[in-house]
Amino acid sequence: MRKGVMRPGHVQIRVLDVEEAIVHYRDRLGLIEVQRDDVGRVYLKAWTEIDAWSVVLRPADEAGLDFMGFKVVDSDTLAARKQDLIDYGCEVETVPAGELKGCGERIRFELPTGHKFELFAEKEQTGKWGVTDNNPEAWPEGLKGMRASRFDHCLLYGDDVDGAVDLLQNVLGFQLAEQVLDRAANDFRVAAFLTVSMKAHDVAFVRHPEKGKFHHASFYLESWNDVLRAADLISMHDIPLDIGPTRHGLTHGQTIYFFDPSGNRSEVFAGGDYTYPDHPVVTWDADKLGKAIFYHDRELNENFLGVVT
Ligand code: M3P
Ligand code: FE
């Protein structure tokens, strides 16, 4: 059952060199640089997003994920989910309004996989970039690089995936859309893809011995042609390529993976499945993991599985 959690609202990513990172996220992915703050963070948005920003780059000595934030429908829902998290046994921290510029109060907690998650109800809305709400044109001119249209999801690596799934399903109303089970090991859950929407996934987890690891942040493109064009840009600019262009078995998205200058993985993808609340969980067997991850090669790739920040 949905519980008023609407969508991934933001991700804060640690980067080693902010200027190099901006080239990646603004000029290659095609996000729009919105503002900076007095601790040196850079805020960016994808052009179809109505909130003021969705990606925050924080200068740091180590790459990785600071937190992922989900927007809830209103402040009553924020208060209700805060109480639910406390009742579930989570330690909940309240981050005051304005700590991220233009964002209201945030409720922060840690998932059993070690990832910091936040909920918030309010963020400054600046509308879609370059188009109006009245008789809007199809797309704005002047977009750069891959022309990413929205921040879509993160894939996170951590140990207690079952714990994260339990919390997200039962406290926050996420729906388990897809999973990978090891049939030979008592249906041990290797991966879980969860959604709060009709999307195939809004966040996903893969089992990994270390807590709190970041596999990728993903951005939506309009078409397979745009994924191929992203591949061209990756070559043009000598961006380290991870995998692709190819198709996932899980979620069936058409995808390409590459790295930012700090080593954080980015994905751009198109297409993919949709999920209604009455859809059954789609299950992949772990012995089909190669095909589940890369539908064409049907082979696991060490880099893809092993490299995380
Ligand atoms: C995606 C996606 C695994 C799968 C990744 C899938 C197991 O990133 O967007 O569907 O790493
Ligand atoms: Fe992904």
Side-chain angles (χ1 to χ4, degrees), residues 23-258:
V23 171
H24 179 87
Y25 289 91
R26 182 193 59 198
D27 300 345
R28 307 300 174 239
L29 278 163
L31 304 180
I32 293 114
E33 185 181 344
V34 175
Q35 62 187 359
R36 300 191 187 201
D37 66 19
D38 50 16
V39 292
R41 290 180 296 190
V42 181
Y43 299 58
L44 305 103
K45 75 180 279 168
W47 76 267
T48 68
E49 294 166 352
I50 59 168
D51 285 345
W53 44 265
S54 58
V55 174
V56 180
L57 307 174
R58 180 173 75 84
D61 296 334
E62 214 185 348
L65 173 81
D66 276 339
F67 51 77
M68 188 176 179
F70 282 78
K71 192 175 194 186
V72 304
V73 289
D74 56 28
S75 48
D76 286 348
T77 303
L78 187 65
R81 294 300 81 80
K82 178 181 180 179
Q83 191 56 50
D84 292 345
L85 285 163
I86 292 168
D87 294 346
Y88 188 77
C90 290
E91 240 174 77
V92 177
E93 180 192 351
T94 303
V95 184
E99 194 279 332
L100 279 165
K101 275 171 98 171
C103 190
E105 183 177 282
R106 289 134 63 206
I107 303 305
R108 187 182 291 172
F109 58 99
E110 190 173 302
L111 288 175
T113 46
H115 299 95
K116 293 270 195 299
F117 262 41
E118 301 182 344
L119 302 177
F120 66 97
E122 305 284 341
K123 191 183 281 179
E124 184 193 351
Q125 290 205 333
T126 48
K128 292 183 185 179
W129 184 85
V131 294
T132 59
D133 286 339
N134 187 222
N135 309 318
E137 302 299 349
W139 40 266
E141 291 180 299
L143 291 169
K144 293 183 177 175
M146 301 173 192
R147 309 186 289 223
S149 71
R150 68 167 183 253
F151 162 53
D152 189 273
H153 65 267
C154 287
L155 177 62
L156 308 175
Y157 273 36
D159 54 353
D160 188 3
V161 169
D162 289 337
V165 169
D166 186 71
L167 188 159
L168 292 172
Q169 273 190 307
N170 295 318
V171 185
L172 299 180
F174 283 61
Q175 181 179 352
L176 183 64
E178 297 207 28
Q179 62 184 348
V180 180
L181 298 182
D182 189 344
R183 303 295 195 181
N186 234 343
D187 284 359
F188 182 78
R189 194 185 271 133
V190 177
F193 288 63
L194 297 118
T195 185
V196 290
S197 62
M198 261 185 78
K199 286 159 54 192
H201 56 319
D202 287 307
V203 65
F205 298 87
V206 169
R207 185 89 58 166
H208 181 77
E210 275 169 294
K211 280 189 182 293
K213 290 301 190 182
F214 181 44
H215 188 274
H216 66 264
S218 184
F219 300 87
Y220 190 71
L221 304 185
E222 219 169 272
S223 71
W224 173 232
N225 258 345
D226 289 303
V227 177
L228 298 181
R229 194 173 157 279
D232 292 339
L233 286 162
I234 287 165
S235 286
M236 265 180 224
H237 295 285
D238 272 323
I239 298 169
L241 174 70
D242 186 23
I243 283 279
T246 182
R247 183 194 282 279
H248 291 300
L250 280 147
T251 76
H252 297 129
Q254 301 145 351
T255 180
I256 186 163
Y257 291 93
F258 48 104

